Amino acid sequence: MTAYDDLMEFTRDTQALGQVAGRLGWDQETMMPRGAAPQRAEEMAAMETVLHARRIDPRVGDWLAAIDDKTLDQAGQANMRHIRRSFERTNKVPAALATRIAKLTSASQGIWAEARAADDFKAFAPTLAEVIMLKREEGQALAAGGDVYDAMLADYEPGTTGADLEAMFGSMRPVLSELRAAIREAKPVAPLTGDFDEGAQMKLTRQLAKTFGYDMTRGRVDKAVHPFSSGSGHDVRITTRTNIKDPFNCFYSTIHEVGHAAYEQNIHTDHLLTPLGNGVSMGVHESQSRIYENQIGRSRAFTGWLFGQMKDAFGDFGVKDEETFYATVNRVGDGFIRTEADELQYNLHVLLRFDLERALMAGDLQVSELETAWNDRFEADFGYAVDKSSNGVLQDVHWPVGLFGYFPTYSLGNVYAGCLNEAMHKALPDLGSELAKGDTSSATGWLGGNVQTHGGLYEPRDVIERAAGQAPTEAPLLGYLKDKFSGIYNL
C-alpha cells in the first residue's frame, strides 16, 4: 500500500467514528431517555477524545509529507487539500487551550440558558467575556499573524474573508431595510388562524419530505425541540417540530432540513466516508436548505399545490384561495427571533450578528457594551425596540458555545441560493408548471447534479460558480426578494 492508501484507510475510520458520534447526538435530541443524560455526556466525551487523538496523530503528518499531490487524480488532490487543512489547523491550537475552550463552552451553555430564562444578560456577561477571550486566543493561533476573524471564518466557509462579507452585506442591508420599511406601511397580510391537528401535520410533513426527494430508506423524520439534520451518505436523519397553531413551522422546517439532508444523500457514493463525503461548507449547505424552503417551497406555483394538500389534510382552514394562501405563507411580520423570521427580514438578523461578533473579536466592542449595541442596531434595522434580553442578545446559543464566524454563513447561503435559483430557472423553463403539480424532481435533480453530487470536491465558491455560471453575488437574491414582495404587497 502507498502512503496515500494508508492515509485514506485511517481517514475513513476517523470519518466512520465521527458518524457514530453524530448518531449519539441525534439520539440525545430525539429518543434518548431523560435519565441517560449523564452517561451520554461521558460517552460523547470519550468519542471526542478518540476523534481528537486521531486528528492530531503524528502519522497523519508523516503520510502528508510522503505524498506528492501531483501524482493523484482530482478526487485525491481534493482529499489531500481537506486533510492537510484540517491537520494543520488542529495542530496550530495548543492542546491546553483546546481543553480550556471545551470545558468553558460546555459550562457556558448552561449559564446562558439560566440567564436567558431570567432575561438577565448581566448574569451571563462575565462568562461570555471569558469565551471571547479564549476564542480570540484560538483565532490568533490559527491566524498566525493574519486576521483573527478570517481565521475563524475558515472553519465554516474556507476562502471567504470578513472584508468580502462586509462588502456583500453592506450592499444588502439598505435594500432590505428599505423594502422592509415599505412593507410595514402597506396593507398587512392576515396570519393563519385556527388549530391544526399535530398528527395530521406530521403525516403531511413526511409526504413533503418525499416530495422534495428525501430518500426515506436512508433516513427518517422525527420530532425535536429544534429541527436539525444529521449524518451523511446512507444514513441521513432529520427532525422537525409541530405547533397546533402554526403548521407552516412544521412544513417549512421539514423542507429546510430536507435541503440539508438531500445534499448529504446525493453526494457521489465514491466519496462516502472520505473528506469529500460531506457538504463542502456551511454556506453551500445553507444554500440547499434555503432554496428548497424558499425559492421552491414558498413559490407561487408550489404553494398552489400545497394549498390543496392542506385542504385535504385539515378541511376548510379559513384561507379562501391559492393567491391568498401564497401571501399568507410569505407574510412579513414583526418579530424578534432570527429562527422565526420571514424570508425578507431573516438576513437583517444575520447581518446584525455578523457586525457585532466581528467587532467583539477585533476588540472594538466590549461585552459590557454588547446589549446596548444589539438593541440600538435592532431598532435601527427593524423600527421597534427589543423588549427583553431573551428576544435580543440572549436568543442564540452560538456565542455561548464559541461558534464565532458561523452566523454569516446563513446569509451567504441565501446569496448562493439566489444565484442558483436564477440559473435553475434559466435551465428549467417549465419549472413553474411542474411545481404547480407538486413535482419538484426537475428542481431537486438540477441541484443534485450541479451542486450536491460534488460534496467536497471543489472549494465552496467554485461549487456555486460552476453551477450558476458566474461568481457569487448578492444581486440575484436582492432582485428576487424585491420582485416577490413588491408583488405580494402591491408596492
Side-chain angles (χ1 to χ4, degrees):
M1 292 178 65
T2 66
Y4 179 74
D5 293 331
D6 289 337
L7 175 60
M8 291 308 299
E9 182 177 354
F10 183 87
T11 299
R12 286 188 180 91
D13 287 344
T14 304
Q15 293 279 332
L17 288 168
Q19 292 295 315
V20 173
R23 210 91 68 241
L24 287 173
W26 168 86
D27 178 70
Q28 184 173 347
E29 297 292 331
T30 55
M31 297 184 175
M32 184 188 78
R34 222 180 319 171
Q39 180 174 316
R40 180 56 49 87
E42 294 288 338
E43 293 166 354
M44 294 181 74
M47 286 296 296
E48 183 55 35
T49 298
V50 171
L51 285 166
H52 181 73
R54 294 183 69 87
R55 292 183 188 118
I56 62 171
D57 192 307
R59 289 176 295 173
V60 175
D62 294 339
W63 286 320
L64 288 171
I67 298 168
D68 180 359
D69 295 17
K70 295 177 182 177
T71 65
L72 303 174
D73 62 12
Q74 183 184 30
Q77 291 181 23
N79 276 319
M80 291 293 288
R81 183 176 70 245
H82 286 285
I83 295 170
R84 184 173 283 110
R85 178 187 289 156
S86 175
F87 183 74
E88 290 175 353
R89 285 181 67 81
T90 303
N91 278 279
K92 283 180 180 178
V93 180
L97 176 59
T99 299
R100 288 173 66 199
I101 291 173
K103 288 181 178 179
L104 177 59
T105 53
S106 178
S108 172
Q109 187 168 0
I111 298 168
W112 162 78
E114 292 178 3
R116 184 184 183 204
D119 277 307
D120 185 0
F121 177 69
K122 289 182 179 178
F124 177 60
T127 302
L128 179 59
E130 286 187 67
V131 172
I132 290 170
M133 180 185 69
L134 292 184
K135 290 299 292 185
R136 191 182 292 136
E137 188 176 341
E138 179 189 50
Q140 289 167 346
L142 291 169
D147 186 276
V148 170
Y149 191 73
D150 288 353
M152 304 179 92
L153 268 175
D155 274 337
Y156 310 105
E157 199 68 20
T160 293
T161 69
D164 293 336
L165 295 174
E166 182 180 23
M168 177 181 286
F169 294 166
S171 297
M172 292 170 61
R173 187 184 175 205
V175 177
L176 296 172
S177 296
E178 182 179 343
L179 187 55
R180 184 211 59 76
I183 289 172
R184 289 196 85 208
E185 298 299 320
K187 181 181 178 181
V189 171
L192 203 61
T193 59
D195 293 346
F196 297 82
D197 179 78
E198 292 178 85
Q201 288 185 41
M202 286 302 296
K203 182 178 180 180
L204 180 51
T205 212
R206 287 190 170 93
Q207 179 187 344
L208 284 168
K210 294 176 184 177
T211 296
F212 277 82
Y214 184 51
D215 183 354
M216 296 289 281
T217 69
R218 297 185 293 146
R220 54 183 293 136
V221 182
D222 294 279
K223 289 176 69 172
V225 175
H226 302 289
F228 65 94
S229 174
S230 174
S232 66
H234 298 316
D235 191 343
V236 187
R237 309 178 188 195
I238 67 171
T239 67
T240 191
R241 59 187 171 196
T242 57
N243 181 327
I244 194 170
K245 297 290 186 182
D246 183 11
F248 294 155
N249 193 308
C250 177
F251 301 151
Y252 285 98
S253 291
T254 298
I255 295 170
H256 180 99
E257 297 307 333
V258 165
H260 284 302
Y263 188 0
E264 296 292 338
Q265 285 188 334
N266 290 333
I267 294 172
H268 199 288
T269 54
D270 285 353
H271 303 327
L272 188 67
L273 295 180
T274 76
L276 310 188
N278 304 99
V280 69
S281 74
M282 294 305 303
V284 177
H285 234 303
E286 196 68 12
S287 77
Q288 301 307 284
S289 61
R290 298 298 279 185
I291 197 171
Y292 274 52
E293 175 190 356
N294 293 325
Q295 282 92 339
I296 301 173
R298 296 184 194 272
S299 67
R300 177 179 272 105
F302 186 79
T303 56
W305 176 82
L306 181 58
F307 178 62
Q309 300 304 305
M310 284 191 63
K311 288 177 69 176
D312 290 344
F314 303 108
D316 182 1
F317 57 95
V319 178
K320 63 180 181 178
D321 55 35
E322 293 180 7
E323 194 65 21
T324 303
F325 183 74
Y326 169 63
T328 304
V329 167
N330 290 286
R331 176 178 176 269
V332 176
D334 290 353
F336 300 104
I337 306 301
R338 173 187 60 85
T339 57
E340 298 173 2
D342 53 75
E343 184 181 4
L344 170 63
Q345 297 185 97
Y346 183 88
N347 290 304
L348 289 172
H349 287 273
V350 175
L351 270 52
L352 178 156
R353 289 156 174 79
F354 165 71
D355 287 340
L356 294 181
E357 72 173 19
R358 196 170 175 218
L360 286 168
M361 282 299 111
D364 297 332
L365 177 66
Q366 303 305 310
V367 171
S368 60
E369 306 166 325
L370 177 59
E371 184 164 30
T372 298
W374 178 295
N375 293 346
D376 289 348
R377 171 66 179 270
F378 186 91
E379 187 164 6
D381 281 356
F382 292 89
Y384 48 95
V386 175
D387 59 348
K388 55 185 179 180
S389 296
S390 58
N391 280 337
V393 71
L394 285 177
Q395 69 177 267
D396 295 299
V397 74
H398 298 60
W399 291 343
V401 298
L403 300 180
F404 292 90
Y406 194 124
F407 275 128
T409 66
Y410 291 129
S411 280
L412 190 58
N414 282 328
V415 168
Y416 288 166
C419 298
L420 295 171
N421 182 59
E422 183 177 74
M424 181 174 68
H425 277 274
K426 288 178 182 177
L428 305 172
D430 296 327
L431 182 57
S433 61
E434 294 174 5
L435 294 177
K437 301 172 186 176
D439 181 2
T440 71
S441 59
S442 291
T444 56
W446 188 89
L447 291 165
N450 286 280
V451 177
Q452 297 164 6
T453 188
H454 303 308
L457 187 61
Y458 305 107
E459 293 283 22
R461 290 198 172 215
D462 291 341
V463 173
I464 303 302
E465 186 166 352
R466 289 171 63 90
Q470 61 179 351
T473 168
E474 68 277 5
L477 174 66
L478 294 176
Y480 156 80
L481 291 173
K482 285 191 285 187
D483 288 346
K484 179 175 185 175
F485 288 99
S486 294
I488 292 172
Y489 284 91
N490 297 312
L491 301 179

